[in-house]
Amino acid sequence: MQITETKKLIRQLRKGNVSAFNLIFENYHRKVYNFCLQLLKKQEDAEEVTQEVFVALWQNRERMTLNTSLSTYIYSIARNQIYHIYRKSFYLVIQLL
């Protein structure tokens, strides 16, 4: 995706344009899923995190700026969701000890 195209998509997404969201989803869904699967190693966890990424993208769309790199923003959400899963797992292990 070109920079001007991405900025246009972000602008439309911020306004609540579902078509813009769908286009972003189509372009990034598989990439985000593969990223999550590579780190989480479980298909179910990767699917769940991928879904959470796009829910968070939609819910926080108004906070995005035109200077935001869309891919960086999306992968940051994924990374943070994965960290959250690791933290939860870590605390569960600690509680079992």
Side-chain angles (χ1 to χ4, degrees), residues 1-89:
M1 233 182 276
Q2 293 178 337
I3 293 173
T4 53
E5 239 180 78
T6 302
K7 286 185 179 192
K8 183 178 176 184
L9 272 178
I10 292 171
R11 193 176 298 116
Q12 291 172 344
L13 179 65
R14 288 188 60 184
K15 292 178 182 178
N17 185 310
V18 176
S19 296
F21 176 82
N22 288 337
L23 187 57
I24 292 167
F25 181 84
E26 289 173 16
N27 282 316
Y28 287 96
H29 175 265
R30 180 57 53 189
K31 296 172 190 174
V32 171
Y33 171 77
N34 289 333
F35 172 75
C36 294
L37 185 60
Q38 185 178 17
L39 294 173
L40 295 170
K41 309 295 186 213
K42 291 184 181 176
Q43 186 176 4
E44 302 83 28
D45 290 343
E47 289 171 357
E48 184 178 332
V49 169
T50 301
Q51 181 177 358
E52 290 172 6
V53 165
F54 288 99
V55 168
L57 176 66
W58 180 257
Q59 289 175 338
N60 299 311
R61 67 189 180 275
E62 293 173 356
R63 294 183 193 161
M64 293 181 71
T65 65
L66 294 180
N67 297 329
T68 303
S69 164
L70 187 55
S71 62
T72 301
Y73 188 78
I74 289 171
Y75 283 106
S76 294
I77 296 171
R79 184 194 67 227
N80 291 336
Q81 293 291 338
I82 291 168
Y83 286 162
H84 180 71
I85 288 174
Y86 283 143
R87 277 192 300 271
K88 270 187 358 187
S89 297

